[in-house]
Amino acid sequence: MRQATRFSLANPFATHKLGPIEARYTYRTHGGATEWTLLPAGMEAPRMEEWRGEVASHPFMEGKQGGMTTFGNALSDNLVQLAVRGLEGPTMHGEGLTQRNGESTTKLELKEQTIDQEGGTTRIETIQEVPGEYAVIHRVEHRDGDPCCVVETEFRNTSDRPLTLDMLSSFSLNQLSPFALDDAPNRLKLHRFRSFWCLEGRPEGKFLEELHLERSAWGSFPVVEQFGQVGSSPARKWFPFIALEDTATGVFWGAQILWHGSWQMECYRKDDRVSLSGGLADRLSGHWWKTVQPGESFVSPRAILTSVAGDLDDLCAALTEQQSRMAHPEPESEKSLPIIFNEWCTSWGHPNEENVGALADSLKDSKARYLVIDAGWFEKKVHGDSQIIGDWNVCPEKFPNGLQPVTGTIRNCGKLPGIWFEFEYVSRESEAYRDTENLLHRDGLPFGVRKRRAWDLRKEGALTYLREKVLGRLREDGFKYLKIDYNESLGFGFDGAESPGEALRQHLAAVSDFIREMREAIPDLVVENCASGGHRLEPGLVALTSMSSFSDAHETLEIPIVAANTQRLIPAHKNQIWIVLRPDDDAQRLYYGFAATLLGRMCLSGDIVQLSPQQRAILDEAEAYYEAVAPVIRSGKSRVHQHIGPSWRYPEGWQAVVRSTGTHALVTYHEFAGKKPERRELPLPEGNWAIESVLNPGLRVRAERVRLELDALPAFSGASILLRKAP
C-alpha cells in the first residue's frame, strides 16, 4: 500500500508509527525546511506552534545589550544536511566549524513524501529538491518487530553538469528535545563511547552546558560538538555512536552508523533546539568529496536510529537488537553459540603440527567447538622473527605436511578447524609487497605504514590474488572458521578517485564485498571480525560477520569492564571474550576470567594441555555453565551496574551485569580492589526470582523477589548467578 503525505500551510505536520517509535515530520512553511524527530510511541510532545517565539530576557538584564529580545526556536533545521561545492557555506561563523545549514541545504524545497507498506515493512521517502539542480531523498525503513528504524540519504544530480558533494549526512535528527518549551537548561546530556586499544568502550555522558553547547543570547551563532575518526579503524578513539538524553523526561535518542571507514557525528545547536547528525567524514574532517555526474546518484552509509523512554542501557539494548536483526544469516554451527579455542596465547605466533595436534587431543572432552590456528602458520623472515604477511605460504618447518593433515586431526577430535588471516595487508618481506600495481597509492607512491603496504581491493588483480590465497586456502584445507585480523589504520585516503576520502570509501566497500563473497562461496564458514581487538566494532561489519573480538585485553584486570561496555555496543552473542588459561592460575583467577566470558562468547586460549585435574574440573564446570546460559546471552537484555573508580587498569569497586529474558536472568558479578562492605545488593527485573545455579562455589548469594544479596567476594574475584522466574 502506497500513500502520499500532503503538507500545507494548514497541515504542516505528519506522524508515522514505526513499531515502538513514532516518526514526526514538521514542514516549516515560512522557511521551506522539513524537520523530523523520533518519539517513543504513545508519548505526547508539544508541536512547533507551542514553542516559544520571541524570548524575553532575564529581568535582571532589562535595558542591557544582553537583555535584548531574541528568538527562541524560530530558526529551521533540515532532515538532510549536505554541502554542494560552489554554493555558500554556513553563515554566522559556521565556516570551518561545520558544513551544516549552508546554502546547499537552505535552498531545498519539499517535493513530496510517500509511505509504502508492504510485507511487514514500512518505507518513508521524503524528497526535497533544488529544481533543475539536485534532489535529496531521505529514506526511513522499519520492519515489524524492529526496535529501530534504518535511515539513509540519496543525492541525485538532476542538472546537466557534474556536481561535487563536500558533505552528505546519513541522518539528521531535529527538534531535540521536543518535550521542552524553552532551551532546556541543565537538562540535555550527550552520550558517547570512547575507545582505544585494550580499553574499548568507555562511556561518557555530559550535559550540553559542560560541552559549551548552550545557545547564544541571540540564538543565531551555531555551536557544534563534532567527533569521529579518520581511517579504517572505526572504533578508534570513539565508537560510531551518539545519543542525547532529556533527563527531565527520561527519553533518549540514539544513532549508530554502519560504516568501517572515516565517519563523523555532530551535535549542533543555534537556538532552543538541538540536532544530531552523522555520516561519512566530510571534506573538513575526512578529506572526502564526491563528484556525481548528471543523472547519477550517491547513497550515504546507513544508520540505525531509535528513541526510548528509559536509560542508556534501554537505548543500547534497542540498538544492539537491531544489529542482530540485520545480521548475515548464520551457519548451523553457530546456533548454540559454541565455545572457541584460539591458540594465539598458547604458542604466541609459533603454531606447528605437533602443538596444534596436542591441543586438539586435549580438547577432545572440551565443549569447545572451534580450534583456531592463529598467526604464525606461514613463512617467517629468514633472519629474525618477523612474519611474512601477504604471501600466505605454509611454513614447511612448522607444517612439513601442509595444513590438511592438521585440519584432519582437528576434525577427528570433534572440532571445526579455524585459521587466521590479515589479508588486507602485505609485509615488506613478502613477494606481494612488490606487486605495486595492485596496492594502494597515495600521492603517486605506494602507501606504507609500519613496514607494510595494503592491497587495493578496487583492483581485480588484488581480488584474484586473494581469491586464490585466502578463499583457496579455506577450501583446500577444509577450514570452517576464518579469523580476519586488522592491525593498522589506513589513514585519510588514497589516489584513484576524486578525493582521498572517496578512494578510501571505495576500497573499504570492496573489502565488505569480498567478505560477502567468501561467505557466499562457503555458506557454513564462520567469520570472526578482529582488528587489534575491538577497533572494528561497528554495526556494519558486526552484522556481516559471525562474531567480533571485543578487545586484545586477553590477560588483564580490566577484561570484565571492557566486556560489559562493548556488550552495550554490539550484540552479546557476537561479543567474543577471551580467558587465557595458565598452570599457575588459582581458582579465584579462573572464576574471575570465566565469569567475564559470560558477558559474550566464551573463547579459550593458553596452556590447556598443562592444566591440573583441579583446574580442568573448573574448566569443565565453566563450560557446562556457559552452555546452560547461552540462550540468555543470545536473546537477553542487559543492565550494567558499575561502581568503579576512574581507572580501568587499576580498577576499584565492583561491577554487576544483569542480563534477562522473560524467564531467566544471568548476573555476572566482579569485585575489584578497594574497601568492601559485608554484602552487596543488586536490583533485579520485576518478578519472583529463584536461584537456579551459581558459577563459583565461594559465593554466598540470596534472591528476594526483585533483589539479589551477595556476600562481597575478595578483590579480583568473579562469579555468575543464573536465576529463574517463578510462575
Side-chain angles (χ1 to χ4, degrees):
M1 181 180 67
R2 189 176 181 86
Q3 63 185 68
T5 303
R6 305 298 179 190
F7 291 102
S8 67
L9 185 64
N11 184 34
F13 307 112
T15 300
H16 309 293
K17 191 172 186 306
L18 305 173
I21 51 180
E22 291 181 357
R24 190 171 85 174
Y25 294 80
T26 302
Y27 174 54
R28 297 285 197 110
T29 52
H30 61 280
T34 304
E35 297 178 306
W36 84 306
T37 194
L38 296 175
L39 300 172
M43 290 194 73
E44 294 293 331
R47 295 250 184 222
M48 187 185 70
E49 67 267 21
E50 299 176 59
W51 300 340
R52 62 182 185 173
E54 291 187 347
V55 180
S57 68
H58 193 283
F60 186 73
M61 297 299 296
E62 286 184 6
K64 309 296 183 183
Q65 183 186 26
M68 65 185 293
T69 299
T70 63
F71 289 101
N73 209 52
L75 301 174
S76 60
D77 208 88
N78 200 64
L79 50 69
V80 172
Q81 293 290 331
L82 74 161
V84 177
R85 190 168 298 180
L87 298 179
E88 291 183 359
T91 61
M92 303 301 287
H93 297 276
E95 187 64 43
L97 181 67
T98 180
Q99 294 198 90
R100 290 176 52 91
N101 288 319
E103 188 181 17
S104 308
T105 299
T106 59
K107 287 180 68 175
L108 289 169
E109 300 175 5
L110 178 63
K111 183 179 181 182
E112 64 176 346
Q113 183 180 89
T114 60
I115 305 95
D116 188 8
Q117 293 178 313
E118 183 179 3
T121 298
T122 300
R123 296 179 180 87
I124 305 171
E125 284 195 353
T126 306
I127 302 176
Q128 297 172 291
E129 64 179 358
V130 177
E133 294 291 318
Y134 56 86
V136 290
I137 301 93
H138 179 270
R139 293 194 182 93
V140 178
E141 181 175 293
H142 180 268
R143 297 176 303 180
D144 288 352
D146 284 1
C148 304
C149 58
V150 181
V151 182
E152 69 179 16
T153 303
E154 179 183 346
F155 173 88
R156 290 178 183 169
N157 183 349
T158 59
S159 75
D160 58 1
R161 67 191 187 282
L163 295 177
T164 297
L165 281 169
D166 284 337
M167 186 266 284
L168 179 67
S169 63
S170 292
F171 72 94
S172 182
L173 195 62
N174 321 120
Q175 302 181 5
L176 306 178
S177 168
F179 300 102
L181 293 173
D182 56 9
D183 54 343
N186 305 308
R187 172 171 171 171
L188 302 180
K189 184 181 285 189
L190 187 71
H191 293 270
R192 46 193 177 173
F193 286 84
R194 291 182 176 268
S195 182
F196 276 117
W197 183 70
C198 287
L199 294 167
E200 295 89 346
R202 179 184 284 270
E204 177 183 282
K206 291 186 176 181
F207 283 99
L208 296 193
E209 290 81 1
E210 297 177 274
L211 295 169
H212 211 45
L213 294 175
E214 289 188 274
R215 57 162 288 164
S216 66
W218 297 281
S220 55
F221 285 78
V223 288
V224 181
E225 179 73 4
Q226 185 185 99
F227 63 98
Q229 78 85 32
V230 174
S232 53
S233 298
R236 182 185 59 174
K237 188 174 182 180
W238 299 103
F239 275 81
F241 169 103
I242 191 169
L244 190 73
E245 176 188 5
D246 182 340
T247 60
T249 59
V251 173
F252 280 75
W253 297 267
Q256 289 180 301
I257 300 172
L258 285 75
W259 181 238
H260 60 289
S262 303
W263 59 267
Q264 68 185 40
M265 297 283 198
E266 291 189 62
C267 180
Y268 175 96
R269 179 178 222 170
K270 257 191 174 183
D271 45 30
D272 283 359
R273 294 291 176 265
V274 175
S275 292
L276 302 180
S277 62
L280 291 171
D282 61 17
R283 187 181 185 186
L284 290 178
S285 65
H287 304 266
W288 178 86
W289 55 90
K290 173 72 177 177
T291 300
V292 183
Q293 299 299 322
E296 294 184 353
S297 294
F298 176 77
V299 180
S300 71
R302 294 178 299 166
I304 53 178
L305 286 85
T306 197
S307 180
V308 302
D311 59 18
L312 181 63
D313 284 326
D314 292 313
L315 173 68
C316 291
L319 292 169
T320 54
E321 181 183 345
Q322 185 67 35
Q323 292 181 43
S324 293
R325 289 172 171 267
M326 298 171 68
H328 189 285
E330 289 301 329
E332 188 64 31
S333 64
E334 278 292 278
K335 296 295 194 252
S336 62
L337 308 185
I339 298 166
I340 308 99
F341 188 98
N342 183 301
E343 60 76 43
W344 171 249
C345 293
T346 308
S347 75
W348 294 112
H350 297 280
N352 58 49
E353 186 172 329
E354 181 181 358
N355 60 32
V356 173
L359 282 172
D361 186 66
S362 184
L363 288 166
K364 277 183 179 178
D365 296 327
S366 166
K367 294 182 181 296
R369 181 64 171 141
Y370 310 118
L371 171 52
V372 182
I373 303 170
D374 211 280
W377 56 267
F378 36 84
E379 293 174 309
K380 69 176 184 179
K381 190 176 180 181
V382 176
H383 302 291
D385 199 39
S386 298
Q387 295 172 344
I388 302 178
I389 305 294
D391 289 345
W392 307 121
N393 297 318
V394 178
C395 181
E397 291 79 22
K398 295 179 178 180
F399 299 94
N401 302 303
L403 292 176
Q404 279 190 9
V406 179
T407 58
T409 297
I410 293 171
R411 282 192 294 271
N412 289 337
C413 292
K415 312 304 173 187
L416 294 176
I419 192 169
W420 178 100
F421 272 96
E422 191 181 359
F423 63 77
E424 293 160 74
Y425 279 100
V426 299
S427 64
R428 185 176 293 178
E429 300 83 4
S430 67
E431 291 297 321
Y433 189 86
R434 284 169 276 284
D435 184 10
T436 55
E437 180 182 349
N438 291 304
L439 301 177
L440 289 167
H441 286 65
R442 182 181 293 166
D443 302 323
L445 299 171
F447 165 78
V449 58
R450 198 160 58 93
K451 300 179 181 180
R452 292 166 167 229
R453 291 173 176 169
W455 291 114
D456 185 343
L457 267 71
R458 298 171 298 174
K459 301 287 185 66
E460 189 59 36
L463 290 170
T464 299
Y465 183 87
L466 293 177
R467 288 174 184 131
E468 175 190 348
K469 289 290 188 173
V470 181
L471 192 51
R473 173 70 59 202
L474 297 172
R475 285 170 162 161
E476 179 182 338
D477 294 327
F479 286 103
K480 297 301 180 184
Y481 187 111
L482 170 63
K483 176 179 177 178
I484 301 174
D485 211 342
Y486 193 78
N487 293 305
E488 272 298 345
S489 176
L490 290 174
F492 66 88
F494 303 100
D495 302 341
E498 55 268 59
S499 66
E502 173 60 12
L504 175 67
R505 187 199 66 81
Q506 292 173 5
H507 164 71
L508 292 175
V511 171
S512 293
D513 289 343
F514 183 64
I515 295 173
R516 290 188 189 93
E517 180 181 332
M518 289 191 291
R519 297 205 69 174
E520 290 167 4
I522 308 175
D524 57 348
L525 181 68
V526 175
V527 180
E528 176 191 338
N529 166 39
C530 180
S532 286
H535 277 166
R536 270 184 162 177
L537 292 182
E538 63 84 19
L541 281 179
V542 169
L544 185 56
T545 54
S546 305
M547 67 191 89
S548 294
S549 180
F550 86 118
S551 179
D552 270 354
H554 298 325
E555 294 188 83
T556 66
L557 293 174
E558 58 265 32
I559 287 175
I561 302 172
V562 175
N565 285 302
T566 54
Q567 190 193 98
R568 286 168 148 167
L569 294 159
I570 70 171
H573 69 273
K574 288 175 173 277
N575 198 29
Q576 187 187 108
I577 301 157
W578 286 37
I579 177 171
V580 180
L581 306 168
R582 301 297 184 204
D584 59 353
D585 288 344
D586 59 15
Q588 180 176 326
R589 183 171 179 85
L590 288 172
Y591 284 119
Y592 184 89
F594 279 123
T597 66
L598 301 173
L599 295 168
R601 292 292 296 275
M602 180 183 286
C603 181
L604 312 174
S605 192
D607 306 318
I608 190 171
V609 175
Q610 302 173 36
L611 296 185
S612 69
Q614 293 79 13
Q615 292 170 319
R616 191 67 192 233
I618 295 176
L619 168 61
D620 293 343
E621 175 193 2
E623 288 185 336
Y625 187 90
Y626 171 83
E627 284 197 341
V629 303
V632 184
I633 295 172
R634 176 175 284 282
S635 60
K637 294 185 178 180
S638 293
R639 192 159 303 281
V640 180
H641 302 269
Q642 285 182 329
H643 308 273
I644 58 177
S647 174
W648 287 11
R649 290 255 53 224
Y650 307 95
E652 296 183 351
W654 66 293
Q655 171 184 284
V657 178
V658 181
R659 187 166 179 83
S660 58
T661 64
T663 59
H664 287 81
L666 176 66
V667 178
T668 304
Y669 160 53
H670 283 87
E671 280 283 357
F672 307 119
K675 187 177 180 180
K676 296 171 178 51
E678 183 178 340
R679 63 179 53 88
R680 305 288 192 189
E681 289 191 0
L682 187 67
L684 296 172
E686 192 65 36
N688 186 16
W689 296 97
I691 296 172
E692 190 166 287
S693 58
V694 176
L695 180 67
N696 189 342
L699 177 68
R700 296 175 60 186
V701 58
R702 298 160 296 283
E704 296 185 6
R705 293 190 61 81
V706 295
R707 185 181 64 182
L708 198 66
E709 290 187 353
L710 311 95
D711 287 2
L713 288 170
F716 304 111
S717 299
S720 180
I721 307 99
L722 178 63
L723 300 111
R724 183 184 69 258
K725 184 183 286 188

